[in-house]
Amino acid sequence: MLNISPINFTKITNNFARANQPINQGLTRDVFVKSTNNVSFKGNEIKADKSDFQKWAEETDFVQTQLLDIITNKENEIGSGFIHTAFSIPGNDDYILRISTRSLEWTLCEENIGIAELNVVDGNDDINVGQEVATITIPDKDARPEEYSWKNTKIEVLRRQHGESIGVQPPETLVEGEWSTHTKPGVEPYEAPSRKEKYARTIRKVAELPVESYEKLIETFKKASETGYDFDYLNSNNLLVDTEEGAINLIDMEKGHDPVKPNYLNLLYALTNVAYYGTYTADWCKDPIPEDKREGAKQDTVTIINKFMSAMKNKGEKLNRNDVSFQAQIYLLNSLPMTYACGGDSGFWQKANEMGILEQ
């Protein structure tokens, strides 16, 4: 089951302490959380474009004959959170649907579906970051004119992406509310054994990928940034590792109007999920991780750091020492794995300079 939870980054958690101790301000963004090992989420290779979906929808009369059944059938639900609910499309593996969870509480009748409009969204077909390719607007015919803008239901059509989400989502996604310290009912704690197992398993998958996989990620990340897509580096779940294709895939990037300068250090921060390393290796947990597994997580993180830096060198990309986020500074550059990989903060920048991947 894939759960989609809303994120309110009103705090960033120090993973060397308990999960609900606030440290810093952050972003507000949806989080896509995968809880099984083989779920696909928005598209690995670019198999289809905007016109492909429009053509398919018109040929199948998708909006009028299938849409209502899909969004009212729990079997099609990929996951749901406070902000969005996502649905798979039976018979179409290239796209998913995303709708406001609140909208699902309103009555969506066949009469309203019958006047729904499909609109293709402008985008960049040269990349796949699970972006929106079309919207379906369902007018509420019974709404008063002043209600049209918020009573209309908007459904996003997104590219589908494949792989397993990396690591463990931030602890803020697990609690009941913005200022709550209580985990949501039925949700396992941040330090739960199952979360630790997923963290170790997924970073091992990333570490085992060849340098070429990292190079492809850097290429896509750069192109997405130049197109105006902004990456939520605070949540490692926004990266999917696809071992079948040997790929690391980006999802849930937010599109802006202007190009974004790619921050490769933040990408590395998310790729390692190093924010969880302190919780994984902590002694205060009920069932501490054995030393051999702690060593494995450390070595996997070291491998990821080294392969990422090699990929940057191979692609001719540079790190900017003056553009370091709070999280990357605290959790990545000052981490134990970074000490073993490069000698810590100063060693990292020295190695980057020697490799020719540091902006001068």
Side-chain angles (χ1 to χ4, degrees):
M1 176 68 180
L2 182 69
N3 299 318
I4 298 183
S5 305
I7 253 188
N8 283 319
F9 278 111
T10 54
K11 53 187 179 296
I12 301 301
T13 302
N14 183 346
N15 58 34
F16 295 96
R18 292 279 179 179
N20 55 15
Q21 295 176 349
I23 291 216
N24 196 32
Q25 295 292 322
L27 314 173
T28 298
R29 193 77 60 84
D30 261 1
V31 170
F32 295 83
V33 179
K34 194 181 93 35
S35 57
T36 59
N37 297 341
N38 56 2
V39 169
S40 12
F41 201 56
K42 307 177 207 172
N44 177 28
E45 297 178 358
I46 301 171
K47 302 176 182 177
D49 60 20
K50 302 185 299 294
S51 59
D52 287 334
F53 177 79
Q54 185 176 30
K55 180 180 179 181
W56 176 84
E58 291 171 352
E59 289 176 348
T60 59
D61 197 19
F62 168 74
V63 175
Q64 275 68 44
T65 63
Q66 301 179 48
L67 181 60
L68 185 61
D69 289 339
I70 290 174
I71 62 179
T72 56
N73 186 344
K74 279 286 185 179
E75 292 184 1
N76 298 318
E77 188 176 302
I78 298 173
S80 183
F82 290 114
I83 299 178
H84 288 122
T85 297
F87 295 90
S88 61
I89 304 174
N92 191 324
D93 196 42
D94 291 322
Y95 308 97
I96 66 167
L97 302 176
R98 187 171 71 173
I99 182 175
S100 163
T101 301
R102 182 183 178 187
S103 295
L104 291 173
E105 299 172 358
W106 301 338
T107 301
L108 297 174
C109 62
E110 291 185 8
E111 187 176 4
N112 287 356
I113 292 288
I115 56 176
E117 297 179 355
L118 171 66
N119 296 297
V120 173
V121 175
D122 289 334
N124 188 323
D125 293 328
D126 295 332
I127 57 172
N128 185 357
V129 292
Q131 67 265 42
E132 182 182 40
V133 300
T135 61
I136 301 169
T137 303
I138 307 173
D140 186 335
K141 64 182 295 292
D142 296 322
R144 297 187 301 272
E146 65 269 21
E147 296 177 327
Y148 287 160
S149 62
W150 63 270
K151 273 294 188 76
N152 290 347
T153 299
K154 176 184 176 183
I155 301 176
E156 299 168 294
V157 181
L158 309 174
R159 292 188 186 278
R160 195 175 185 110
Q161 191 71 288
H162 298 274
E164 180 175 12
S165 58
I166 293 174
V168 178
Q169 72 269 31
E172 288 80 3
T173 67
L174 309 178
V175 296
E176 292 181 328
E178 183 173 330
W179 302 107
S180 173
T181 59
H182 300 288
T183 305
K184 296 173 186 175
V187 174
E188 291 187 299
Y190 189 62
E191 66 274 13
S194 63
R195 297 192 188 282
K196 291 186 175 182
E197 188 277 331
K198 180 177 182 291
Y199 160 79
R201 183 182 70 251
T202 53
I203 64 166
R204 172 63 55 87
K205 286 183 177 182
V206 175
E208 289 177 343
L209 291 175
V211 172
E212 290 76 14
S213 299
Y214 293 75
E215 292 174 1
K216 181 61 177 177
L217 170 64
I218 288 170
E219 286 178 14
T220 304
F221 184 72
K222 180 181 181 181
K223 187 173 291 186
S225 299
E226 292 173 343
T227 309
Y229 287 99
D230 192 19
F231 177 61
D232 179 7
Y233 66 92
L234 296 175
N235 182 21
S236 293
N237 280 182
N238 289 329
L239 290 165
L240 306 184
V241 54
D242 183 351
T243 53
E244 290 187 10
E245 297 292 336
I248 305 165
N249 299 316
L250 295 153
I251 65 169
D252 201 27
M253 296 188 79
E254 185 172 298
K255 180 68 181 290
H257 297 290
D258 300 319
V260 178
K261 185 175 182 180
N263 190 314
Y264 296 110
L265 191 61
N266 283 346
L267 179 60
L268 178 58
Y269 166 82
L271 191 61
T272 58
N273 194 207
V274 70
Y276 197 74
Y277 179 80
T279 298
Y280 182 78
T281 58
D283 290 322
W284 51 259
C285 295
K286 182 179 179 182
D287 298 304
I289 295 297
E291 184 59 36
D292 62 327
K293 291 187 177 181
R294 298 187 198 192
E295 179 66 17
K298 183 190 76 178
Q299 291 300 330
D300 287 339
T301 307
V302 169
T303 298
I304 293 169
I305 292 170
N306 287 331
K307 286 186 176 181
F308 187 86
M309 295 180 76
S310 294
M312 285 198 63
K313 179 179 180 179
N314 294 345
K315 300 305 298 182
E317 299 302 329
K318 307 285 186 180
L319 292 161
N320 186 341
R321 190 166 187 168
N322 296 319
D323 189 14
V324 180
S325 67
F326 172 85
Q327 295 79 17
Q329 180 66 54
I330 298 298
Y331 299 130
L332 178 60
L333 296 181
N334 291 319
S335 68
L336 182 63
M338 183 61 76
T339 298
Y340 275 80
C342 305
D345 184 354
S346 60
F348 172 78
W349 295 114
Q350 180 179 345
K351 182 175 180 178
N353 187 50
E354 292 172 353
M355 293 178 67
I357 60 172
L358 181 64
E359 287 185 4
Q360 301 299 323

